[in-house]
Amino acid sequence: MLQVTNVSLQYGSKKLFEDVNLKFTKGNCYGIIGANGAGKSTFLKVLSGEVEPNKGSVSLDKTERMSVLQQNQNAFDDVTVLRCVMLGHRRLVEIMDEKDALYAKEDFTEEDGIRASELETEFSELGGWDAEYNATTLLSALDIESSLFDTLMGDVDAKTKLKILLAQALFGNPDILLLDEPTNNLDIKTARWLENYLMDFENTIIIVSHNRHFLNRVCTHICDVDYGRINMMPGNYDFWYESSQLLTRQMKDQNKKNEQRAKELQEFIARFSANASKSRQATSRKKELEKLTINDFKPSLRKYPYIDFKYEREIGNDILIVENLTKKGYFENVSFTVQKDEKIGVVSDKSTTVSMLYDILAGKTQPDSGSVRWGKTINMSYFPENNNEYFQGVNLTLVEWLSQFSKDHYEEYLRGWLGRMLFSGEEALKQAKVLSGGEKVRCMLAKMMLEGGNFLILDEPTNHLDLEAITALNNGMKSFRGCMLFTSHDQELMNTVSNRIIEINGTKVFDKTVNYDEYLDIISEKK
């Protein structure tokens, strides 16, 4: 068991944690969530001992071993892939190295023999005889070719390094497993393998992740970092989200009731406290007022943008017909027809394939051959993956930038839309050209909402967004009543929004009325 007792951590005037008390027990998986900058990754470093808290302690049984997913990809460049994995159990490697050094000695003494015997016993107890086999099994499960096992880590590409470091963290069945964003840059197959592996893992797992699908699949508890506190709740991310939204509404409603009752009591006291016939009632009301407490309710540090795609013009029977569309180097003879109420997830091994298809549908690029026919009632709105063209060289404030896409140019009206996307007050007067990646995405989503399209095309709209904005976008896309073509690496969004999947790799190779999980099951069976 890993126990956190009265832990507080502060950097200068910034207080990250205060009096945190938690127990992490065997057989559970804990997801650490919180607003950007709340200290999620720092908390993992406190648990691992990399960061010392100002106050309190983190205790782990001496017989238990902790393993951490390393974030420095170049830390093991001078060792082979296989040794890097086995270094996940450092004590085991130390024993192996000491044994090898002893047996290589020309003047092997009796004392050396005694020491070797001790090492062999510990080596066996730690499962040393199966260690190399277990390491190669992990690497193979992660699709690392055996030809790489003796290759130096410095000669391995970045994506492969991520998988090797993941194998290192998992190696040797650690008692406590700490994972910081383990699914970042993992392909779908590897991410699914990791989900299944962790679901079967019998010890303690603590994860920081922005991947909602992953948190929903593996977590038994959610630890919410907010206002320097860490509150633990049983259940996965969706359960936490729905529960926290419900609790927030209930607290606000109760506060309103309390405030109203307090106002009524204060008015009664003011009116009748000087009236002798009413003095007893006034005294009674005063006592009630003193007992009435309005919760010191703090809104969460998390801010959810408001994303709701509305349109005025209803969709007719003819929506979109694509026939034999070809673009050399991307795809050929792609055909499909969009029907009412369809939200189509488009997937491909190459992201450039999907982006090119969307550019052609949006009229930004011409195909080599084939045709695109839009219905007369369709008002299409496009979110490209690369949005730089909308911001480069633009010397406009956000209010002025958004005004370009609005029929109403009244400043307060535009500020209202910017406020929905978390640009309030002076932030609405920022220069559009200096925005961060996430801020640009929120501006593009505000633009789309203003355009009021009844057909949306979204190419990787979750890029650069935090967990709260992704959740808001997911909800907005689910509630949209029009048609949609979209692509996202966020599996939860793909699965909960799509009702049809089209896969394009050269030609159209898959097209069925299924959600994303069903699509993954079908293609995995084929393989």
Side-chain angles (χ1 to χ4, degrees):
M1 181 179 71
L2 181 66
Q3 184 158 345
V4 178
T5 308
N6 297 323
V7 162
S8 297
L9 180 63
Q10 186 168 335
Y11 292 119
S13 61
K14 185 176 181 180
K15 190 179 292 183
L16 282 181
F17 313 116
E18 185 175 19
D19 294 328
V20 174
N21 290 279
L22 295 169
K23 290 181 182 179
F24 301 100
T25 57
K26 183 176 180 179
N28 290 316
C29 177
Y30 302 85
I32 311 293
I33 64 170
N36 288 346
K40 302 182 293 294
S41 295
T42 303
F43 183 64
L44 284 193
K45 291 177 181 178
V46 170
L47 295 180
S48 69
E50 184 179 342
V51 170
E52 190 75 23
N54 302 124
K55 180 184 132 185
S57 63
V58 176
S59 57
L60 178 65
D61 192 291
K62 290 182 180 179
T63 63
E64 294 187 321
R65 182 174 68 88
M66 178 182 287
S67 183
V68 180
L69 175 60
Q70 297 296 325
Q71 300 298 305
N72 182 0
Q73 291 187 24
N74 302 318
F76 302 92
D77 281 357
D78 58 346
V79 302
T80 66
V81 167
L82 187 59
R83 183 174 175 84
C84 177
V85 174
M86 296 180 72
L87 279 168
H89 197 325
R90 196 165 287 273
R91 176 56 188 157
L92 188 61
V93 174
E94 289 172 354
I95 293 170
M96 292 167 61
D97 290 347
E98 190 176 349
K99 280 200 316 168
D100 291 344
L102 282 173
Y103 292 141
K105 289 177 70 173
E106 292 183 4
D107 54 341
F108 191 81
T109 65
E110 182 179 349
E111 186 178 340
D112 291 333
I114 293 171
R115 178 58 181 159
S117 177
E118 292 171 348
L119 291 172
E120 291 290 4
T121 299
E122 188 177 358
F123 183 72
S124 180
E125 289 173 349
L126 294 176
W129 299 112
D130 297 321
E132 188 169 320
Y133 170 77
N134 291 335
T136 58
T137 300
L138 272 174
L139 288 168
S140 297
L142 290 165
D143 282 338
I144 308 296
E145 298 290 337
S146 58
S147 58
L148 286 178
F149 290 178
D150 294 322
T151 303
L152 287 177
M153 283 287 286
D155 297 328
V156 175
D157 67 82
K159 285 193 174 182
T160 304
K161 274 185 179 180
L162 288 172
K163 292 183 179 182
I164 295 165
L165 292 175
L166 182 58
Q168 180 194 76
L170 302 176
F171 176 71
N173 195 37
D175 299 288
I176 310 290
L177 180 59
L178 304 185
L179 302 173
D180 193 351
E181 297 291 358
T183 62
N184 272 8
N185 298 309
L186 288 186
D187 57 81
I188 288 294
K189 181 181 177 183
T190 306
R192 291 190 104 197
W193 176 87
L194 180 60
E195 286 174 10
N196 293 327
Y197 185 94
L198 296 181
M199 286 168 70
D200 292 333
F201 192 75
E202 295 181 350
N203 295 329
T204 305
I205 311 166
I206 304 172
I207 299 172
V208 169
S209 178
H210 282 79
N211 187 329
R212 296 169 304 144
H213 179 85
F214 185 68
L215 292 174
N216 281 330
R217 288 270 290 167
V218 304
C219 288
T220 61
H221 296 73
I222 294 294
C223 298
D224 177 26
V225 184
D226 204 9
Y227 284 104
R229 305 287 181 179
I230 303 181
N231 299 309
M232 185 184 293
M233 178 184 289
N236 61 14
Y237 175 80
D238 277 353
F239 183 80
W240 168 84
Y241 176 75
E242 294 298 334
S243 300
S244 63
Q245 293 295 299
L246 176 62
L247 182 60
T248 299
R249 288 194 298 270
Q250 288 177 339
M251 291 180 73
K252 285 181 177 178
D253 289 344
Q254 186 59 48
N255 281 349
K256 284 181 181 178
K257 290 178 182 177
N258 285 356
E259 287 169 357
Q260 182 59 36
R261 182 58 179 157
K263 183 179 178 182
E264 292 171 358
L265 294 173
Q266 287 168 342
E267 288 176 352
F268 184 92
I269 293 165
R271 286 169 58 199
F272 297 110
S273 57
N275 186 323
S277 63
K278 297 282 188 178
S279 60
R280 185 176 296 177
Q281 288 175 275
T283 303
S284 173
R285 296 293 195 282
K286 193 172 184 179
K287 288 180 179 178
E288 183 183 348
L289 181 61
E290 289 169 353
K291 292 178 182 177
L292 188 66
T293 59
I294 297 174
N295 292 323
D296 183 18
F297 173 68
K298 289 184 178 181
S300 171
L301 286 175
R302 284 181 203 78
K303 293 182 179 179
Y304 292 85
Y306 177 79
I307 300 175
D308 189 19
F309 301 105
K310 300 286 189 184
Y311 59 87
E312 293 181 3
R313 189 171 188 180
E314 289 300 324
I315 296 175
N317 293 325
D318 296 328
I319 300 173
L320 173 63
I321 299 173
V322 176
E323 290 185 332
N324 299 319
L325 206 63
T326 296
K327 187 69 174 179
K328 190 175 180 181
Y330 294 93
F331 49 80
E332 57 180 320
N333 297 323
V334 170
S335 299
F336 59 90
T337 299
V338 179
Q339 308 292 338
K340 277 188 176 181
D341 301 321
E342 286 192 323
K343 296 179 180 178
I344 303 171
V346 182
V347 298
S348 175
D349 290 343
K350 295 181 178 179
S351 61
T352 52
T353 294
V354 180
S355 295
M356 178 55 71
L357 172 66
Y358 290 163
D359 279 351
I360 291 172
L361 297 181
K364 296 180 68 175
T365 304
Q366 293 301 310
D368 295 331
S369 61
S371 64
V372 175
R373 296 205 306 273
W374 288 98
K376 292 181 180 179
T377 61
I378 300 304
N379 176 19
M380 185 272 296
S381 186
Y382 180 33
F383 180 103
E385 181 179 13
N386 187 343
N387 55 41
N388 287 335
E389 64 180 280
Y390 292 90
F391 299 94
Q392 283 178 341
V394 176
N395 236 350
L396 302 173
T397 66
L398 294 194
V399 171
E400 293 167 338
W401 182 89
L402 194 59
S403 180
Q404 302 173 99
F405 312 103
S406 176
K407 295 176 183 177
D408 189 335
H409 304 290
Y410 184 54
E411 182 174 337
E412 289 306 312
Y413 174 77
L414 296 168
R415 279 179 172 272
W417 284 94
L418 289 168
R420 292 181 180 190
M421 304 310 293
L422 309 183
F423 297 105
S424 57
E426 292 300 310
E427 288 185 319
L429 300 178
K430 270 186 179 182
Q431 289 288 309
K433 62 184 179 182
V434 301
L435 296 179
S436 68
E439 288 173 328
K440 287 178 181 178
V441 170
R442 286 188 272 129
C443 280
M444 290 296 291
L445 292 172
K447 165 188 169 291
M448 289 188 78
M449 287 191 287
L450 270 175
E451 289 172 339
N454 55 17
F455 193 113
L456 306 182
I457 299 178
L458 300 110
D459 190 2
E460 294 290 355
T462 61
N463 283 359
H464 308 295
L465 293 182
D466 58 22
L467 195 58
E468 292 71 45
I470 292 172
T471 301
L473 174 61
N474 198 158
N475 291 336
M477 290 173 67
K478 281 196 297 184
S479 62
F480 178 62
R481 297 185 300 107
C483 292
M484 187 186 298
L485 286 171
F486 69 100
T487 300
S488 175
H489 64 271
D490 188 287
Q491 192 171 338
E492 185 75 8
L493 184 144
M494 286 290 289
N495 192 52
T496 57
V497 176
S498 64
N499 52 28
R500 176 180 169 187
I501 299 292
I502 295 177
E503 178 188 346
I504 301 173
N505 285 311
T507 59
K508 187 178 71 171
V509 295
F510 183 96
D511 186 351
K512 288 186 183 298
T513 305
V514 294
N515 65 25
Y516 191 63
D517 274 354
E518 291 167 336
Y519 155 76
L520 291 176
D521 289 338
I522 291 169
I523 62 170
S524 64
E525 288 174 6
K526 288 182 178 179
K527 293 177 181 178

